[in-house]
Amino acid sequence: MNLQPQDSSYRPVRSILELRPDIGDPVKPADFPKTILRYRNDRWARAVGLEHLDGSGWLDHFGRFAPLPGNLQQPLALRYHGHQFRHYNPEIGDGRGFLFAQMRDHKDRLMDLGTKGSGTTPWSRMGDGRLTLKGGVREILATEMLEALGVETSKTFSLIETGESLERNDEPSPTRSAVMVRLSHSHIRFGTFQRIAFEENEQLMRQLVRYSLNNFYGGESAEHDAALLLHRAAEQMAKLAASYMVAGFVHGVLNTDNMNITGESFDYGPWRFTPKWDAGFTAAYFDQQGLYSFGRQPEAIHWNLGQLAVALRLICPAEPLIEALEQFAPLYQEALAEHFCWRLGVQSKGLEPDRSMIAAAEAMMRQDDIGIDRFFFDWMGGDTSEQISTSKAGTDFAQHMKTYTSSRSRGHGYWQGSEPQSMLIDEVETIWDAIADDNDWNLLQQKIRDVRTMGAALRSN
């Protein structure tokens, strides 16, 4: 589950140029009045060979966007379309970000460095192309927590304050500005395929399918490469949906332009973690119908895969695409059981026993009003006989747990504490208030340390 990154050398590549010129547009970064480093992700910098950059070099590359050696000489704002709350929008693309660089990581995976808040592009529409500092801080917190909980997520790589004042409708303004760099295993979105299908560009669609299989899925091939890609994407998206649920995470904006072909979670706007196992909990105030509520996220991701299948019909018959789509539900159930057992610290007993145990756990959390983080913390490894609830739901779950074997020791110091790590909205706001009111970054830095300690405990045997 999202193993700790290892040291690697810097190995630049420029694979995206295989798809030029139709995949994106060359752009220039904004010229910021200031570049104040607020966060650098040294452990992931080591994984892509960039830990050697000193302070001025870091600011030069990730605040002023001087090209990295041997890399893209000009950033690319990628083109895509997307269903936004299930309404098709052909007027979008990278409006405040761009692909800045590509390289290999410690697993020899192709990785992209992309930006958020780096200035206007041809796809900015009426936007200013900027990012609020609060938005950047929230993305740090989301990605750190999700990584610790075993969710495949982009990594917040750098956050630099830029010295501008921004006006926003959804937070007190004027507010401080920033530019963020994220490290992702691809920036190719479902919406990228949708745009190509909209334009009926068969040649580019075939090139993009082959690019994706070559760079993200080991160069596999089949009679229908598009169906193979959809099948691989369905496998990864099923894992993502399951990991969201076990983490208690609500992304908030699961549009097709926010779906990565590798199944990696990214682009965190109105995200939240739900305090309780509440299927109707939503993250975005504007999601009034609950389309992307906690409990509907697997459905939303499956629907998005269906739109990817529609796009791939440009070069592939329907039958193998339908077959790939139909794999999502069983793959999701398998992934949910695997991830639930992993976080609980027990060995899986098989799909049907695990599903029964998970149903009992959900009932216990709902009926006994137990928070998700508290539940997993208390029951880690199943060694909690002194904490067995006397409710019917609690008794039922305890009976299930007696049949499971622990797969993780409670020896790590994290389990000796009295409180689990969480990332609920009140704590997020407290961390931001310290920054906004007093320019105090200590709470953020401490939270990152605490979350990483939890991640190490979850990875330990």
Side-chain angles (χ1 to χ4, degrees):
M1 296 289 180
N2 235 324
L3 297 178
Q4 183 81 7
Q6 304 297 315
D7 290 358
S8 180
S9 58
Y10 171 63
R11 291 176 290 162
V13 292
R14 298 187 293 177
S15 300
I16 196 68
L17 297 182
E18 298 170 16
L19 301 171
R20 283 282 295 138
D22 294 323
I23 202 70
D25 299 277
V27 292
K28 292 182 179 180
D31 184 11
F32 299 114
K34 296 181 181 178
T35 51
I36 306 168
L37 181 62
R38 295 303 188 187
Y39 172 82
R40 62 179 280 172
N41 194 331
D42 282 318
R43 66 176 180 176
W44 277 97
R46 288 193 296 273
V48 293
L50 293 175
E51 80 285 359
H52 65 280
L53 290 174
D54 61 15
S56 61
W58 191 276
L59 292 175
D60 195 34
H61 290 301
F62 305 128
R64 303 180 189 92
F65 297 102
L68 286 166
N71 228 297
L72 300 178
Q73 292 305 295
Q74 191 167 5
L76 293 175
L78 300 187
R79 303 175 182 178
Y80 48 86
H81 291 178
H83 277 90
Q84 299 184 313
F85 287 82
R86 299 201 175 168
H87 296 284
Y88 194 75
N89 187 351
E91 303 296 331
I92 55 177
D94 277 340
R96 57 173 174 167
F98 48 63
L99 176 60
F100 172 62
Q102 295 185 297
M103 61 209 65
R104 296 283 173 183
D105 74 352
H106 62 297
K107 296 181 182 178
D108 202 37
R109 299 181 302 172
L110 175 65
M111 303 296 288
D112 291 352
L113 285 177
T115 65
K116 191 173 184 179
S118 50
T120 57
T121 77
W123 311 106
S124 298
R125 292 178 288 175
M126 300 300 292
D128 61 12
R130 302 302 202 263
L131 171 70
T132 67
L133 183 62
K134 182 178 184 180
V137 168
R138 283 175 48 83
E139 187 135 348
I140 292 170
L141 292 170
T143 54
E144 288 284 346
M145 190 68 174
L146 289 173
E147 182 181 359
L149 291 173
V151 178
E152 288 296 332
T153 176
S154 64
K155 313 302 186 292
T156 307
F157 196 76
S158 171
L159 183 68
I160 292 172
E161 189 169 359
T162 57
E164 296 176 305
S165 294
L166 305 178
E167 296 290 334
R168 292 292 186 268
N169 295 326
D170 55 354
E171 63 180 280
S173 296
T175 188
R176 293 155 71 177
S177 62
V179 64
M180 189 187 77
V181 176
R182 65 163 67 101
L183 180 70
S184 297
H185 185 34
S186 163
H187 273 70
I188 302 298
R189 310 162 188 249
F190 288 11
T192 313
F193 295 86
Q194 289 183 285
R195 181 189 69 83
I196 295 169
F198 183 88
E199 296 174 351
E200 300 183 348
N201 190 337
E202 292 188 30
Q203 180 181 3
L204 182 57
M205 183 70 83
R206 294 184 191 280
Q207 289 176 340
L208 183 59
V209 167
R210 179 41 49 194
Y211 175 92
S212 299
L213 288 170
N214 285 346
N215 287 292
F216 313 130
Y217 294 109
E220 291 185 271
S221 62
E223 179 183 0
H224 300 292
D225 280 350
L228 174 61
L229 178 61
L230 183 63
H231 185 86
R232 293 292 174 258
E235 289 176 336
Q236 298 307 311
M237 296 308 294
K239 293 177 183 178
L240 178 64
S243 65
Y244 275 176
M245 300 303 290
V246 176
F249 180 72
V250 187
H251 183 283
V253 191
L254 292 176
N255 297 331
T256 57
D257 54 293
N258 286 336
M259 298 282 102
N260 192 323
I261 195 62
T262 63
E264 181 183 67
S265 180
F266 75 108
D267 204 9
Y268 302 101
W271 65 268
R272 289 196 185 187
F273 285 85
T274 176
K276 305 293 174 63
W277 196 277
D278 176 5
F281 182 88
T282 58
Y285 69 88
F286 46 82
D287 187 7
Q288 298 178 357
Q289 304 303 315
L291 181 64
Y292 298 146
S293 63
F294 175 59
R296 295 182 68 183
Q297 290 181 118
E299 170 200 338
I301 289 172
H302 186 221
W303 190 90
N304 289 339
L305 280 165
Q307 305 317 301
L308 176 59
V310 171
L312 292 172
R313 280 285 288 115
L314 181 68
I315 61 169
C316 185
E319 186 175 353
L321 294 171
I322 293 171
E323 183 180 339
L325 273 180
E326 289 175 343
Q327 293 301 305
F328 179 83
L331 288 168
Y332 168 73
Q333 292 297 335
E334 292 173 9
L336 183 66
E338 178 185 358
H339 209 85
F340 205 99
C341 289
W342 172 79
R343 189 173 181 190
L344 201 53
V346 297
Q347 294 179 6
S348 170
K349 292 178 59 182
L351 184 57
E352 290 308 315
D354 290 349
R355 289 178 66 176
S356 180
M357 179 271 288
I358 293 169
E362 292 178 11
M364 178 182 173
M365 283 187 276
R366 287 194 303 267
Q367 294 177 28
D368 292 356
D369 198 32
I370 299 172
I372 295 174
D373 298 311
R374 169 57 66 185
F375 166 79
F376 282 109
F377 183 82
D378 288 349
W379 285 91
M380 200 289 295
D383 186 20
T384 55
S385 57
E386 74 283 0
Q387 299 185 44
I388 293 176
S389 169
T390 58
S391 72
K392 182 180 183 304
T395 301
D396 184 32
F397 177 69
Q399 290 299 316
H400 280 280
M401 290 305 291
K402 288 179 180 179
T403 68
Y404 277 82
T405 303
S406 176
S407 61
R408 184 187 298 129
S409 167
R410 280 186 172 266
H412 192 283
Y414 172 71
W415 307 114
Q416 312 312 310
S418 60
E419 296 295 326
Q421 276 300 308
S422 60
M423 193 67 75
L424 302 180
I425 188 61
D426 288 346
E427 186 169 8
V428 173
E429 291 297 326
T430 297
I431 291 169
W432 169 247
D433 286 345
I435 295 169
D437 296 343
D438 302 313
N439 207 33
D440 181 355
W441 293 79
N442 290 316
L443 288 180
L444 174 65
Q445 293 163 359
Q446 184 60 53
K447 188 62 175 178
I448 293 169
R449 288 193 291 269
D450 291 344
V451 166
R452 290 184 177 184
T453 296
M454 176 187 70
L458 287 168
R459 290 190 301 272
S460 63
N461 295 323

